[in-house]
Amino acid sequence: MRIFTSLRTHPAVLATPFIGAFFCYVFLTSTRRIEQLIDLPWAAQAVSYAAHAPVPMAAAAAAGLTAVEATRLKALGAWQLGTVQPTWRIALQTVLVTVACLSTATAGVMAGGLWVVGVLPDPYALQILGIVVVLITAHAVIGFVVGRHLHALYSAPLVAVAVFVGISFPLGTDSYWAHHVTGAIDWVGFGEAYSPAMTVAAILPTVGLALACVALASFRRDPVRFIALSLVLAVGGLLGAYGITADWRSVPPTAKGLAPVVCEGNAPEVCLPEAGADHIGEIHAGLRRMTGHLEARGIVTRKPERITDISVADVRRIDTDGADWTLALAPGTGDQVLRENIAISVVGMPCAEPDWNELHVPTLWAARTIGVENHYLTWLARETRQFSQGQTREQLLSGTASAARLPLPEQKKWYAQKLASACRTGSPS
């Protein structure tokens, strides 16, 4: 069949305007909070978030539409034209048209995510698009094989529902490995991308099943051999993916540390992601001043040599410890980032099981030391339901006010005593 004739009559082409309109609706409803979730522009993060919802729909549509086209070609007698055009070329043309239509619609959703975040595509975003194209191709092949042997009246809804449920349903189960092998797009964070293991696990079962369908379609030539081959391909792909993901949790092991980093200053050196480093000078000045106050009050034993933003840190720690600190610094201006999170991180967890109500007092003292007392109290009011749990605002302020009147050596002893009081079930670290 000529390509232009196929484009005029192919069900995927005819359905593309409707699929595109539906995907626009999905994009508008599923990405309303994307700007809140993505603080710093990172293409792979935006693409993974935008594609998470439409990919199961695109795969289901690809399987159903190729099933319809396979049945239509059979009714037209296309398989009797083998002497004019090889049957594999007819099948390939049908699959490629479907893949082009559905991949374009899905790529449009991804492009919308990039536009909302305000970032251009990069190789990591294109890698996710490539995974999507492979998955859509595999599902199109599966739909075509089923539609060639079973009328589309039955096969199209069957494969479409089976594909959509097969991708989406495991995401709601407690079997974490199943989250990563069905072809659903996992979310990646800032500076992250799909690792090679994630990529293989995402496509291996579906590609194996597609190849198994192709082998099964040829079973008339040698039934035993091709049926055995199809079982090996289908089961082998699933077992291979399971072997990769068996010990994964809900968050897969992505490739990390990919975002460019900018470092500035000394004592301490401050390192931020390049995308959020516009105010690195202000942040460095503020951190240098704050760490000096913390050291003077005995809240930290020594000033850090380097402070790295948590989004680009090699090891993400909650507490500040030693010469290298990890803090949430970007994005925003120096005034926006140097708030209660600094005090909370500096105090951290002085023991394994602290009394959190008691720990609020030394944390408020640290916040007062670096000049963010009001910010910490505002945060604490939210956490304690307007101080309905634990000590009241007045009690906390009274405790730190009395400590402020002590000589500096006594202030250091008072702070150490408060940490010890918060660690009744353990020893301060």
Side-chain angles (χ1 to χ4, degrees):
M1 184 180 293
R2 294 181 179 179
I3 184 64
F4 294 108
T5 303
S6 177
L7 291 175
R8 286 199 307 269
T9 59
H10 198 292
V13 176
L14 300 176
T16 295
F18 303 99
I19 294 174
F22 181 68
F23 276 17
C24 286
Y25 170 77
V26 171
F27 170 76
L28 293 174
T29 55
S30 65
T31 59
R32 284 179 293 185
R33 296 181 57 210
I34 192 171
E35 291 179 299
Q36 301 175 20
L37 296 173
I38 300 179
D39 295 323
L40 295 171
W42 182 248
Q45 186 180 21
V47 163
S48 67
Y49 185 86
H52 182 76
V55 163
M57 305 174 193
L65 290 169
T66 48
V68 172
E69 179 65 2
T71 298
R72 191 179 73 89
L73 292 174
K74 184 177 181 180
L76 293 174
W79 308 122
Q80 282 70 47
L81 301 178
T83 56
V84 179
Q85 187 175 11
T87 55
W88 67 265
R89 186 175 297 177
I90 298 173
L92 179 64
Q93 180 177 297
T94 299
V95 169
L96 289 181
V97 172
T98 304
V99 172
C101 293
L102 274 302
S103 298
T104 300
T106 310
V109 175
M110 295 181 177
L114 295 172
W115 175 73
V116 170
V117 176
V119 62
L120 295 174
D122 61 13
Y124 306 116
L126 296 177
Q127 176 194 17
I128 296 177
L129 177 59
I131 293 171
V132 171
V133 172
V134 171
L135 291 170
I136 290 176
T137 303
H139 286 294
V141 170
I142 294 169
F144 185 87
V145 172
V146 175
R148 183 180 175 184
H149 294 86
L150 180 65
H151 196 281
L153 181 64
Y154 314 105
S155 63
L158 176 65
V159 294
V161 172
V163 167
F164 183 81
V165 173
I167 295 175
S168 302
F169 178 76
L171 300 178
T173 67
D174 293 331
S175 300
Y176 294 126
W177 68 270
H179 298 187
H180 312 295
V181 304
T182 62
I185 297 300
D186 284 305
W187 294 353
V188 299
F190 178 81
E192 298 178 355
Y194 261 63
S195 63
M198 286 178 64
T199 303
V200 173
I203 65 176
L204 186 59
T206 309
V207 171
L209 184 58
L211 295 175
C213 288
V214 173
L216 196 60
S218 307
F219 78 97
R220 292 179 181 176
R221 302 175 186 175
D222 190 342
V224 176
R225 181 179 299 178
F226 281 99
I227 290 175
L229 177 61
S230 66
L231 289 174
V232 169
L233 290 170
V235 177
L238 182 59
L239 291 179
Y242 174 77
I244 295 172
T245 62
D247 58 347
W248 290 5
R249 304 300 296 171
S250 58
V251 179
T254 57
K256 303 180 184 296
L258 303 176
V261 179
V262 174
C263 296
E264 182 175 300
N266 54 69
E269 181 184 40
V270 176
C271 296
L272 300 177
E274 187 178 87
D278 293 342
H279 304 280
I280 190 171
E282 298 175 37
I283 295 174
H284 175 262
L287 286 173
R288 186 171 186 176
R289 182 176 62 255
M290 288 181 175
T291 52
H293 293 329
L294 292 169
E295 184 184 35
R297 291 282 181 89
I299 296 175
V300 298
T301 56
R302 63 169 178 168
K303 294 171 65 175
E305 297 176 6
R306 173 180 292 182
I307 300 178
T308 306
D309 182 72
I310 193 170
S311 64
V312 291
D314 294 332
V315 179
R316 301 185 178 187
R317 298 189 305 268
I318 298 176
D319 297 354
T320 55
D321 184 31
D324 293 327
W325 288 10
T326 300
L327 296 174
L329 299 175
T333 64
D335 180 61
Q336 289 176 326
V337 297
L338 302 177
R339 292 186 175 177
E340 74 277 353
N341 62 333
I342 305 294
I344 295 170
S345 297
V346 165
V347 177
M349 290 183 62
C351 54
E353 298 180 3
D355 183 327
W356 295 107
N357 290 325
E358 292 291 333
L359 197 62
H360 293 325
V361 177
T363 307
L364 180 60
W365 178 249
R368 177 170 181 161
T369 299
I370 59 180
V372 293
E373 181 181 48
N374 290 333
H375 297 302
Y376 178 72
L377 288 171
T378 300
W379 173 85
L380 189 58
R382 294 194 303 268
E383 294 295 309
T384 60
R385 299 180 182 179
Q386 300 303 317
F387 299 97
S388 62
Q389 304 169 358
Q391 301 182 66
T392 65
R393 178 188 178 99
E394 290 71 24
Q395 289 173 327
L396 291 169
L397 288 172
S398 175
T400 55
S402 61
R405 293 190 289 268
L406 298 173
L408 185 57
E410 295 297 321
Q411 290 180 10
K412 295 180 179 180
K413 291 181 180 179
W414 173 87
Y415 178 76
Q417 291 172 354
K418 288 300 180 182
L419 288 183
S421 177
C423 290
R424 293 169 184 160
T425 58
S427 301
S429 56

